[in-house]
Amino acid sequence: MRDFAPIESLFDFYQRWSGLRPHVMTLIASERLDAREREILTSLVDLADRVGPDDLLPDGDVG
């Protein structure tokens, strides 16, 4: 059973990222993943860390 609600959208993910990030970092540091899987997740963390509120605006809108 999940201890959190499903992520419903990119905005929802962005809003929750600060709470999700430590869990992902723990997974990356664990022995559960192979090197390639850790590399992929690390790249996704780097990407998610770069997303800001302006990235979530509809096309053409300026913040």
Side-chain angles (χ1 to χ4, degrees):
M1 183 170 184
R2 292 182 169 170
D3 59 349
F4 64 93
I7 296 169
E8 300 290 335
S9 66
L10 180 59
F11 182 75
D12 185 22
F13 181 86
Y14 170 76
Q15 292 284 77
R16 294 163 60 179
W17 177 238
S18 63
L20 295 171
R21 191 181 194 282
H23 297 285
V24 175
M25 296 308 293
T26 298
L27 183 59
I28 290 169
S30 77
E31 296 296 321
R32 294 172 55 189
L33 304 177
D34 65 33
R36 181 68 177 139
E37 292 166 329
R38 282 192 295 277
E39 180 183 340
I40 291 166
L41 272 186
T42 299
S43 295
L44 290 172
V45 167
D46 290 344
L47 177 65
D49 285 347
R50 288 184 175 94
V51 173
D54 289 344
D55 298 312
L56 303 175
L57 295 172
D59 288 344
D61 287 356
V62 177

